[in-house]
Amino acid sequence: MPGQVRSDARRNYDRLLAVAAQCFAENGIQTSLRDVARRAGVGIGTLYRHFPTREALLEAVLDDRFDRLRRRAEELATQAPPADALRTWLREVAVGSATYRGLPEEVMAALQDPDSRLHTSCATMRTAGARLLTRAQDAGQIRRDVTGQELLALVAGLAWAGERAAQPELMDKFLEIAMAGLAA
């Protein structure tokens, strides 16, 4: 929350973020904003003062998560063999994306729309994954004809499939199948 604000406004902002994350996890990203406000104990006007659109609320909820994934990619690049680093990161992205029903589609749409509030954080995450991809390609472990955009679309597809299958243990199987297809 930018600038100096009253302590009650800060509490409302933080409470709205926490409740929104919980509501998104329970009901997907299309959850009722009225329900978010009600559960946070504030009026809908308070929610809209802090977050003028659903996308603004989603961006605030996801900003820290996407930044952690970017940092995680940097960490894995220095600590794991290239293909293992890529596999680990893809799994973390897919599992995280499946947390909120509808998120994989939202991420892919945001990447296509530079005016989207989510565009920058999604693009930064895509760039982090592309670095891991390039590292694995340079090591001869991953096909050279795959781009960072295609990789993020693949992980969005894995997250979508894992979300729809309602069997979290399938995510690892889906990822292994994808990694076999990406192998050089």
Side-chain angles (χ1 to χ4, degrees), residues 36-110:
V36 172
R38 182 187 52 74
R39 287 175 61 178
V42 301
I44 191 71
T46 298
L47 183 144
Y48 282 119
R49 266 192 303 283
H50 290 292
F51 308 103
T53 64
R54 175 182 306 280
E55 191 176 51
L57 178 58
L58 186 59
E59 177 198 25
V61 169
L62 295 174
D63 190 49
D64 185 53
R65 177 180 289 197
F66 286 172
D67 192 50
R68 277 195 313 268
L69 285 168
R70 180 197 52 77
R71 288 191 314 268
R72 181 69 169 137
E74 292 168 1
E75 175 185 300
L76 286 166
T78 64
Q79 297 177 354
D84 292 344
L86 183 62
R87 177 185 294 106
T88 299
W89 189 80
L90 288 175
R91 183 180 191 288
E92 290 175 14
V93 171
V95 168
S97 294
T99 302
Y100 300 148
R101 189 174 59 253
L103 182 59
E105 297 95 334
E106 189 74 22
V107 168
M108 295 311 296

Side-chain angles (χ1 to χ4, degrees), residues 147-159:
T147 68
Q149 179 70 19
E150 292 165 342
L151 184 71
L152 203 54
L154 175 65
V155 78
L158 292 173

Side-chain angles (χ1 to χ4, degrees), residues 119-139:
H119 180 80
T120 300
S121 57
C122 292
T124 301
M125 187 177 59
R126 177 185 58 204
T127 300
R131 285 190 199 109
L132 290 176
L133 173 66
T134 299
R135 183 172 170 255
Q137 289 169 327
D138 290 347

Side-chain angles (χ1 to χ4, degrees), residues 87 90-99 104 154-179:
R87 177 185 294 106
L90 288 175
R91 183 180 191 288
E92 290 175 14
V93 171
V95 168
S97 294
T99 302
L154 175 65
V155 78
L158 292 173
W160 181 88
E163 175 187 295
R164 296 306 187 275
Q167 294 177 309
E169 68 277 4
L170 285 179
M171 184 64 70
D172 288 323
K173 183 173 185 174
F174 294 157
L175 183 58
E176 287 310 310
I177 292 168
M179 289 302 293

